[in-house]
Amino acid sequence: MALVTLRRNLCHLSDFRVYGALVALRSLPVNPTNKVVTGHLHPWFSSLLPEPARVLSHPVCGKNFHSENGNNLAPLGGQRFPQVHDWDALDQNFKNEGEQLFYRRLNSLTSWEEVLSFLSTLEILPVTWAAGALRRICEVEKGDSDQRLSKEILENSAFQALCFQLEQQLSRLSNTDLVTALQTLSLLHVNHQSSLVLNLVAECQNRLQAGVLEASNLCLLGETLIGLQDPGCVTLGLIIHQLQGKKLETFTPEDVVAIYRILQTYSDKVNQHQTFLNMINNFSLSVVSYLSPKSVSQVLAALVVLDQTQAHPLIIKLGRYAVRHVPHFTNEELRKVLEAFIYFGLSDRFFTKALEQLIVSHCLSLDPGVISRVMEYCSRKLILSKPIFNAVAETFVCQSEKFSPSQISELIEPFGKLNYLPPNAPAFFRKVENVLFTDFNRFPPKMLLQVLHSCSLIECHPVNFLPKIFSPFFLQQLQGEESYLDRLNLAQLTQLFLTSVLECPFYKGPKLLPKYRVKSFLTPCYSLETPVDFPFYKSVMMALIDLLGKRIYFASKVLTPYCYTIDVEIKLNEEGFALPFTANEDVHKRIALCVDGPERFCSNSNHLLGKEAIKQRHLRLLGYQVVQVPHHEVEMLKSRLELVEYLQGKLFPQKTSVLW
């Protein structure tokens, strides 16, 4: 007779110390149903040299078994001994229970010391648990930062033992655990040339070539190889090829984001995968609502790199979901979203409203790069958001030293372009002037000219800098290695010179040489004026003919000697009679009629753009009577007759009837 006592000890659950089973066998023949553990199990990290596989027994708690012949065991209570398959099921239950307890305790730990200390209490550590422990170290040490693993961790003997066990038992890891382990080491910035990382990569490549990786494993492996900064075009190409063979329904939202990031590295060969990319673009419409703020920014950034302008429905939907994530984006994520909005020309009033709330409340804590992108977004879409502009102006006064020259240029330009002076304008432009004086040589010539020209648009004339930018030395720097100066730069220089003559008569410094002056500000691509809106312009022309009687009494699109083009010019004699536009004598007054369509105003606003405001300002100083005909006033009129009466009131406010 032999008495076998199997005892299960999971006491002290809070410490989760799992001890090996104590098995007492008395001169019994080997039975297939017996689970034998020979010797005492030592802690896992103290004996990692190659050895026969160890067996973990899961003893039954509180049961005494009696055997008559050493072969037929039965419980003392009369129950029959379980068959072999019952033992297997029992082992599996205990294995699952132990795994759950292990991960529950592991996830409660908050530092790498606690993780390694916890592992040292375990008698054995399956390789899958080792992979989980490594992942937990990554979670508690890295967090949301991009820091490298500290030298103290790397040199810790228990951590080295953990890595050694993984390296020795790679073949026992599941596909998911294998790829996850490689991703973890990549995130922890472990030396990419270490034997563990190289062996993990080799094992992943072997399984990739064998075609046994599922879609999620392929996506995770692709992202990880990109993070290792030496992905290998062949490997990534094979991953993309195998992904194309997977069913779209098997892709999770995380997989979709990973696919975009993988294809992003293949941007130079995007045409080869455009069919697959089109399928992903269409499928992504169904997963946008499940994407996190980080994922939304990553997909938008990838679409920019891949130049997916044809994926308009996806871009629009991502833009709408980005609105609700604005308060939750990190600085980098928000910057990527803004760049995508700028690149694809997106504009959303709810997105702008969310930006206003963010900028007003957190502008001082935002990265200068994000602030400059917000201003660029407003500038590109002609959005005059006074809360944003005011908050940015205040931030620049307080933190100007944080901004680079390019960021300063991107910040200043919208104020001039959209013709807006913030409440703290004196302090704001005094700070701009101080920064330019201090770091004048840090600004590239074209960037410096852009800043000074933007200031002049809103009557903040950079008189102290005019001698420098009109000098031959600066003009030579501006030209650089090109054989000629850029047309836009010449137009900006000419307008600054005209500003110095008309608005700064006290300026007595160097003048801009005639060879650097343009003849017209209205030129294709480099215009400092906005062309007329032709349908609106045509309707005004027809009403003018009705008002004045003949087409001869006004001229259209007249180029003045001062570079500006007048939409409509009307000449009057001393008595107020309209003269033919060919007349050069007896001209007492010249009327410059500005037919201002929607393109000459800020978006959804009646606020005139900076380049149109300076044009009208200069025309008045040149002696013209400027009469503005804005589209928002004309659109309120119901008939052509009302338009004629409207123009009469604008052109001849003192007369009850028109003379010609």
Side-chain angles (χ1 to χ4, degrees), residues 221-234:
L221 177 59
E223 275 203 299
T224 303
L225 291 177
I226 294 170
L228 292 174
Q229 298 177 350
D230 187 22
C233 294
V234 175

Side-chain angles (χ1 to χ4, degrees), residues 331-348:
N331 280 323
E332 182 63 18
E333 291 164 1
L334 182 57
R335 184 186 63 79
K336 290 179 180 179
V337 171
L338 287 166
E339 288 177 349
F341 269 66
I342 294 169
Y343 185 84
F344 293 116
L346 293 181
S347 176
D348 187 287

Side-chain angles (χ1 to χ4, degrees), residues 534-658:
F534 186 74
F536 177 52
Y537 176 76
K538 186 176 180 180
S539 64
V540 173
M541 292 301 98
M542 299 302 293
L544 274 176
I545 292 174
D546 291 344
L547 176 64
L548 300 178
K550 290 184 180 181
R551 178 66 177 79
I552 195 174
Y553 290 109
F554 65 91
S556 59
K557 300 180 182 178
V558 178
L559 177 61
T560 68
Y562 312 101
C563 308
Y564 291 110
T565 298
I566 300 175
D567 299 332
V568 177
E569 184 183 35
I570 301 174
K571 300 176 182 178
L572 303 179
N573 62 17
E574 191 171 357
E575 297 176 354
F577 287 91
L579 299 173
F581 69 84
T582 56
N584 292 319
E585 298 179 357
D586 300 326
V587 178
H588 179 70
K589 181 183 294 185
R590 295 175 184 267
I591 298 177
L593 192 67
C594 297
V595 185
D596 295 329
E599 297 82 5
R600 295 183 178 181
F601 295 88
C602 297
S603 179
N604 299 320
S605 170
N606 299 333
H607 192 81
L608 206 61
L609 294 177
K611 60 183 179 180
E612 300 303 323
I614 193 175
K615 172 184 176 179
Q616 294 185 15
R617 200 164 67 238
H618 284 180
L619 288 176
R620 290 189 184 94
L621 292 172
L622 290 168
Y624 287 90
Q625 177 185 335
V626 177
V627 176
Q628 187 180 7
V629 181
H631 74 99
H632 53 270
E633 292 182 3
V634 174
E635 288 172 353
M636 298 176 63
L637 305 177
K638 299 179 181 180
S639 66
R640 185 166 168 176
L641 179 59
E642 288 187 5
L643 178 55
V644 173
E645 293 175 350
Y646 168 83
L647 290 175
Q648 179 179 345
K650 283 278 190 177
L651 295 171
F652 309 102
Q654 304 301 325
K655 297 183 180 294
T656 57
S657 60
V658 181

Side-chain angles (χ1 to χ4, degrees), residues 300 457 539:
L300 282 171
L457 293 178
S539 64

